[in-house]
Amino acid sequence: MLTSGGDAPGMNALIRSVVRTASAHDISVLGIRRGYSGLINGDILEMSARSVDGIIRRGGTILYTARCKDMLTEEGQQKAADTCRYLGIDGLICCGGDGTFRGAQALSRKGVPCIGVPGTIDNDIVCTDYTIGFDTACNTAIECIDKLRDTMQSHERCSVVEVMGRRAGHLALQVGCAVGATAICLPERELDFDVDIVEKMRIGRIKGRNHHIIIVAEGYGSAQEVADQIHEATGIDTRVTILGHIQRGGSPTAQDRVMATRMGHAAVEALIAGKTNRVIVQDKSRVTDLDIEEGLSLKKDLDQSLFEAQQTVAI
Ligand code: F6P
C-alpha cells in the first residue's frame, strides 16, 4: 500500500487496518514509501501485523508521502506497473486525493488491481461523504481559532483566519460554523462584501459584539486583502492568521481512526473479492466502493443546508 499527496491524520490508522486485515487473511503487505515515487523507484518495506503497533494514534504517515509528477506521464506509470510485476504485487491500495486516484486508475488500466481510499483534510472528493483527516483538521483549526478569539475579544479586534482546503470550502464552512464566525469567504459562494461582512459586523457592534472572526478559505483568495478591505471599510483593528500546515498534523480524532479502520478493512476485502479501479467511499452511514471515475467526475458542492444554517445563525 502507499499514501500519496498531502498527508492527513488517520493515514496511519488506515495503514494499520490494511496490514492487520491482510494478515488475518494470510496476505503479506509491502509498504511503498513516498507514494508513487517509491513505487517507481522500488522504495519498499515489508510490513507485519506487529510493525503497525501503536500507530493508530499518530498523525502523518509512517510510509511518508509525496506528490509525484512522474506518475502523470506514461513512462512513469509504466515504470510503476513494472515494479508491481517485478515484486509480485497482486493488488495496490492507494490513499490520498484526486491525484492519487488518477494514478490508481492508470495502474488499473495497466492490469494492476488498485483500490483508492480517500485521505485528505479537504473533504473534496465528490463520490464520498467523508475523507480521512477532515475531522481532525477541523478540530485542530477550531482549537486554534478559539484561542485567537480570546485575544481578539480582549483587544476588541477583528481576526481574519485563512484555513486550508485547496480549491474547496468544505473545511472553511465546517470550521466557520463551529467557531461561530461572523462571515465565511468560500470559493463556491459569491459574497457581497458590504452586505455579508461589513453590515454584519456593524449590526454585531450595535448589539454589543466587540470582536469578530472572519474565515477565509484559501481557495477564495488572499486573507490579507480581505483584512485590508475590512479595516478600510470599518476602521476596526484587524489581524490576519494563516493556520497553514498545522491543520494537517496531530493525533487523529475518534472519527478519523474509526473511519480509517473501516475503509482499510473494506479496501482489502475489495481486493480479495477481485475488484479493481474502485474507490472506497462513505455513503451516508455505509462504507462501500464505487468506480474511481465517479470520484473524479464532478466537483463536490458545499453542504447547502449547513451553509444556510450558518448564514442565519451568524448574525
Ligand atoms: O490537499 C491538502 C492540502 O493541505 C490543501 O488543503 C492545501 O492547499 C495543500 O494540501 C497544501 O499542499 P502542500 O503541503 O504541498 O503545501
Side-chain angles (χ1 to χ4, degrees):
M1 81 158 296
L2 58 81
T3 51
S4 153
D7 64 348
M11 280 184 167
N12 281 327
L14 175 78
I15 294 167
R16 173 181 176 272
S17 173
V18 166
V19 171
R20 295 268 173 93
T21 305
S23 288
H25 288 282
D26 277 332
I27 297 168
S28 51
V29 179
L30 296 178
I32 297 152
R33 289 197 195 89
R34 301 178 182 85
Y36 291 111
S37 314
L39 195 55
I40 290 171
N41 302 317
D43 190 358
I44 310 285
L45 77 152
E46 278 183 28
M47 305 193 82
S48 69
R50 292 281 67 82
S51 70
V52 291
D53 276 355
I55 66 169
I56 195 167
R57 63 185 175 79
R58 282 172 57 188
T61 159
I62 60 162
L63 290 178
Y64 305 106
T65 183
R67 301 187 200 279
C68 176
K69 291 220 172 73
D70 290 345
M71 197 58 193
L72 300 172
T73 66
E74 166 59 31
E75 198 192 338
Q77 292 164 8
Q78 191 54 53
K79 274 192 192 162
D82 290 346
T83 310
C84 290
R85 286 212 181 86
Y86 176 71
L87 292 170
I89 291 173
D90 300 313
L92 190 62
I93 295 173
C94 313
C95 179
D98 52 2
T100 307
F101 296 161
R102 270 178 234 287
Q105 198 177 37
L107 286 175
S108 297
R109 287 193 185 122
K110 291 191 180 295
V112 180
C114 283
I115 305 291
V117 178
T120 163
I121 64 163
D122 303 336
N123 200 18
D124 58 348
I125 311 280
V126 67
C127 62
T128 180
D129 292 343
Y130 193 74
T131 61
I132 294 166
F134 180 67
D135 187 59
T136 309
C138 286
N139 282 297
T140 301
I142 290 164
E143 198 184 327
C144 294
I145 297 166
D146 284 349
K147 288 181 176 148
L148 273 175
R149 188 184 280 283
D150 291 342
T151 170
M152 292 301 137
Q153 201 160 22
S154 309
H155 287 264
E156 303 184 81
R157 282 174 172 161
C158 172
S159 181
V160 176
V161 187
E162 183 184 299
V163 303
M164 277 189 167
R166 200 181 289 273
R167 287 176 293 274
H170 307 283
L171 190 60
L173 176 58
Q174 189 89 353
V175 168
C177 186
V179 298
T182 302
I184 312 175
C185 304
L186 299 159
E188 296 89 346
R189 295 287 182 277
E190 265 195 42
L191 181 135
D192 181 326
F193 191 81
D194 291 329
V195 176
D196 297 320
I197 299 187
V198 177
E199 184 61 7
K200 272 190 179 170
M201 287 175 68
R202 196 185 64 79
I203 294 170
R205 285 257 149 171
I206 292 168
K207 291 186 173 167
R209 169 166 285 197
N210 73 345
H211 70 287
H212 300 275
I213 305 282
I214 311 291
I215 303 293
V216 179
E218 67 172 333
Y220 173 85
S222 156
Q224 186 61 57
E225 275 173 29
V226 172
D228 291 345
Q229 267 179 289
I230 288 174
H231 181 66
E232 204 179 301
T234 65
I236 295 171
D237 201 10
T238 302
R239 293 289 186 275
V240 175
T241 303
I242 296 173
L243 292 181
H245 290 81
I246 198 163
Q247 292 160 104
R248 289 226 303 253
S251 181
T253 58
Q255 182 170 350
D256 280 320
R257 296 180 195 199
V258 172
M259 189 54 73
T261 301
R262 280 161 63 90
M263 287 186 165
H265 179 261
V268 175
E269 294 294 342
L271 278 180
I272 292 171
K275 296 183 184 179
T276 183
N277 200 36
R278 308 288 287 177
V279 56
I280 305 298
V281 300
Q282 187 198 19
D283 178 13
K284 303 190 179 65
S285 59
R286 228 163 45 106
V287 169
T288 181
D289 57 87
L290 295 173
D291 192 287
I292 283 187
E293 195 58 45
E294 292 191 48
L296 299 170
S297 48
L298 296 162
K299 196 170 152 50
K300 186 180 194 176
D301 196 13
L302 288 180
D303 180 337
Q304 179 61 19
S305 62
L306 179 62
F307 177 73
E308 283 165 18
Q310 194 279 331
Q311 292 283 299
T312 309
V313 171
I315 47 170

